[in-house]
Amino acid sequence: MKSIYPCIWTNQSAKEAAEFYVSIFPEASIQESNPWVTSWRAGNSKFMLLNGGPEFTPSPTLSFYSEFPEVGSVEKLWEKLVEDGKALMPLGTYPWSEKYGWVQDRYGVSWQLTAHPEAPPYGNYSPAMMFTGRNFGKAEEALNFYTSIVPDSLTKFISRYGEDSPSQTGKINHAQFTLGKQLFVAMDSGLDHGFQFSEGISLVIPCENQDEIDYYWEKLTLRGEEGQCGWLKDQFGVSWQIVPDSLGKLIASPIKGPTVIQAFLKMKKINIEKLTSN
């Protein structure tokens, strides 16, 4: 399995958003662009933006925990991201970081910017899941569920709320875990934020064969729900796309592309043989 990466749903502004991000993040570049999606990369991290329409918007429950080695880098990025956006936690000094801030940008995407002296110049970007509302207290359950499914995964560390936070004591305030090669962050929040996970940001698992598709589909739909075109929601409401790694090339083919798209749109779980036999 190749690295899991996020897909951000936009209202027909995928390329515009990608151009904005590569203009502000260090060592970032657009990888590919077509009428459906635009992909960009910063350092070792891939992001995909989808021209989906107005149906869904990103939620702060899935943000990007982004580490940079210098305070100045965090401050410059904050200025760019908060423009036409909004601060969710003010940029400042916190017990866990000399410089940290949580911002929702103009496209509704949330970034947790933090200074970390050991981060590479291009930054570290980790999808961060916040378990709140009906999901409050489920961060550890989710972490264990995901790491049990994806091979070569592990829990790096777990930090918990102390007795100074009575309503949240013992729950996770910050945990880091890997799913394959990708680092993730998880946290609980007992505050009433009024939002939950949504299709606005999904996590893509690019699969090499049908066996991988079948495996992840079966595991992640357990107490979840199936969607169209390889999309699903797991038991916590997190959206995933279980797709063949070759899907982009198949759709882009000038010969088979249109028939591949028609077959793809009719499927829930993707069947590679049916997708490529047309």
Side-chain angles (χ1 to χ4, degrees):
M1 186 192 73
K2 294 189 176 180
S3 292
I4 298 170
Y5 60 88
C7 174
I8 301 166
W9 186 289
T10 75
N11 187 8
Q12 304 301 326
S13 58
K15 188 173 183 181
E16 174 191 314
E19 290 174 343
F20 170 68
Y21 293 135
V22 301
S23 74
I24 65 170
F25 285 105
E27 299 185 36
S29 61
I30 291 178
Q31 301 295 295
E32 63 174 315
S33 186
N34 59 52
W36 302 281
V37 299
T38 297
S39 297
W40 64 282
R41 182 175 291 276
N44 297 322
S45 298
K46 175 180 177 178
F47 298 82
M48 183 170 74
L49 295 121
L50 171 69
N51 281 321
E55 290 87 351
F56 304 115
T57 55
S59 164
T61 47
L62 213 166
S63 60
F64 299 109
Y65 192 82
S66 307
E67 299 174 315
F68 302 93
E70 298 178 355
V71 168
S73 298
V74 173
E75 292 173 336
K76 289 179 181 178
L77 283 168
W78 176 271
E79 291 176 3
K80 297 291 185 181
L81 289 168
V82 79
E83 185 178 347
D84 297 323
K86 63 179 179 180
L88 300 180
M89 285 183 67
L91 184 65
T93 299
Y94 293 85
W96 59 88
S97 176
E98 180 183 0
K99 189 65 67 173
Y100 169 90
W102 192 337
V103 59
Q104 188 174 57
D105 68 28
R106 65 187 67 179
Y107 300 103
V109 181
S110 298
W111 305 85
Q112 297 187 59
L113 305 178
T114 186
H116 191 293
E118 296 180 5
Y122 49 77
N124 280 326
Y125 305 85
S126 305
M129 301 177 182
M130 181 169 66
F131 294 81
T132 184
R134 64 177 179 271
N135 275 328
F136 172 61
K138 295 182 179 180
E140 190 163 9
E141 179 186 350
L143 181 160
N144 291 333
F145 176 62
Y146 297 141
T147 55
S148 74
I149 291 172
V150 180
D152 302 318
S153 299
L154 58 87
T155 301
K156 298 193 71 174
F157 75 85
I158 293 177
S159 171
R160 301 181 187 277
Y161 292 102
E163 294 183 358
D164 57 337
S165 183
S167 63
Q168 302 181 113
T169 302
K171 305 304 183 184
I172 290 178
N173 63 20
H174 188 94
Q176 293 189 4
F177 62 101
T178 60
L179 297 181
K181 299 176 182 178
Q182 178 62 54
L183 181 67
F184 285 80
V185 170
M187 66 195 78
D188 286 306
S189 176
L191 300 177
D192 183 12
H193 295 286
F195 46 67
Q196 287 292 326
F197 295 114
S198 79
E199 294 89 340
I201 298 182
S202 56
L203 298 169
V204 182
I205 300 182
C207 298
E208 294 183 2
N209 52 53
Q210 190 65 45
D211 286 344
E212 282 194 353
I213 289 176
D214 294 345
Y215 171 79
Y216 288 111
W217 191 266
E218 177 184 357
K219 295 294 185 180
L220 289 168
T221 55
L222 180 67
R223 298 198 299 276
E225 60 183 84
E226 297 183 347
Q228 291 295 124
C229 305
W231 289 60
L232 64 86
K233 282 187 178 181
D234 68 24
Q235 59 188 285
F236 307 102
V238 178
S239 291
W240 299 80
Q241 295 185 54
I242 314 300
V243 297
D245 185 44
S246 59
L247 181 61
K249 291 182 180 179
L250 291 171
I251 290 177
S253 169
I255 299 174
K256 287 194 171 184
T259 55
V260 168
I261 292 172
Q262 289 302 313
F264 175 70
L265 292 174
K266 296 175 183 178
M267 296 179 183
K268 289 189 174 181
K269 182 178 73 173
I270 302 302
N271 184 305
I272 296 177
E273 183 177 356
K274 290 183 179 180
L275 204 63
T276 57
S277 62
N278 295 303

